[in-house]
Amino acid sequence: MINDMARIMNDLQVVTSTLSPEVDMQKLEVRLEEIMSNYEIHRKSEKDIENDIQDKIELYLSARKVEGLAKETIRGYTGELNRFAKFINKPVVQITTSDIRKYLASNENNMASTVDRKLSAIKTFFSWLVTEELLLRDPSTKIKPPKKPKRLPKGLSVEELEVVRESCISRRERAMMEVMYSTGCRLSEVQRMKIDDINMQEMNMRVIGKGDKERIVYISFKCLHHVKGYLNIRKDDCEQLFVTERRPIRAMTNRAIERSVDQIEQRTKLSKKLTPHTFRHTFGTLAMENGADLADVQQLMGHEDPSTTLVYAHVSENRKKQAHKKYHMQ
């Protein structure tokens, strides 16, 4: 087929190269008929077209790896796109907007945030295909993201934070909890932390956030005290800040950190769910409650979009009351 197309294009080039500026379309049509009579052309059936969706996904993921996309993001895209490919099971060129909508609606139990994440991965994939000229049109363009319910982040109150502190029974638990709260870091950022990233004198820490972007976060005196206490009992030479307690000593995984927080939660008996992200929410909420500037909180938390930080800008009834007394003109 490729050789036939090459011959057709070659013959057509020979014809068009001999044309004068004033083309006689009738003669051109006759000549094209003469050329095309040497070929038998038929439209491929759906079965004849190669199902290339998995190959295109692998090509896309390889390109994103080269671009330096974070491993966690690559892993997320891989899972989402593989599930999409299994559901659709047809060549990329044949995928329609309706196909994508059917996939997104295939599980009624999916929350809006889950559907939004799936759509985001699909949109990024098709956008890349069009940009790379591997596809002429993007079937996901017309699909709008679902409306997500606006929920306030569930952070801990000052009193609840103290309960959590008192529920930590090991130096590792306490140091980990203080680092997550003091820095407001994401789980993946905490998992990547290394001892050498800590500047004891400046009381700050270098972290690698989303998209492998580096930023500086700060730690409190209390946090520094417990981190030093944890490091003093360590007898290993592992460079990671938080490591396993059993040998071979190695960096804790994301899941291991989550399990450690789960164990703390079981002892607190709080009504709120305790996760690594709860401490991040607590950091953002309490910072805003104490009058921190929105732009400062955005930088500290590593948010690219200011609107992401706005979820922490809600204020308590007491703060609203005080603001009214302070700023209302009588």
Side-chain angles (χ1 to χ4, degrees), residues 26 62-63 94 149 181 186 228 243 245 249 263 280 309:
Q26 189 172 7
S62 297
Q94 292 182 352
Y181 167 61
R186 302 176 179 91
K228 285 181 177 179
V243 297
E245 294 177 332
I249 302 298
Q263 291 170 356
R280 180 169 166 83
T309 320

Side-chain angles (χ1 to χ4, degrees), residues 235-249:
K235 304 298 181 182
D236 60 88
D237 56 0
C238 185
E239 62 180 2
Q240 298 297 130
L241 179 55
F242 296 112
V243 297
T244 57
E245 294 177 332
R246 294 182 180 179
R247 294 185 180 277
I249 302 298

Side-chain angles (χ1 to χ4, degrees), residues 52-63 82 125 128:
D52 61 347
I53 185 168
Q54 201 63 54
D55 291 337
K56 289 291 194 299
I57 289 174
E58 291 177 9
L59 191 64
Y60 164 70
L61 293 173
S62 297
N82 284 340
F125 170 59
W128 181 85

Side-chain angles (χ1 to χ4, degrees), residues 169-176 226 228-230 232-233 242:
I169 60 174
S170 71
R171 293 197 178 187
R172 189 185 69 173
E173 283 182 352
R174 184 62 186 269
M176 190 186 303
H226 288 287
K228 285 181 177 179
Y230 167 60
N232 286 338
I233 65 169
F242 296 112

Side-chain angles (χ1 to χ4, degrees), residues 181-199:
Y181 167 61
S182 184
T183 64
C185 283
R186 302 176 179 91
L187 171 60
S188 59
E189 295 168 347
V190 174
Q191 191 275 331
R192 291 183 187 181
M193 288 177 178
K194 297 179 180 179
I195 299 173
D196 288 343
D197 292 333
I198 306 173
N199 186 325

Side-chain angles (χ1 to χ4, degrees), residues 313-329:
H314 71 284
V315 292
S316 65
E317 289 301 320
N318 183 57
R319 188 176 171 190
K320 282 192 287 186
K321 183 178 180 181
Q322 296 301 320
H324 182 270
K325 287 183 178 180
K326 184 176 180 180
Y327 300 112
H328 179 61
M329 295 295 294

Side-chain angles (χ1 to χ4, degrees), residues 85-96:
K86 186 177 180 180
F87 181 89
I88 297 297
N89 193 30
K90 61 166 59 175
V92 167
V93 71
Q94 292 182 352
I95 296 175
T96 65

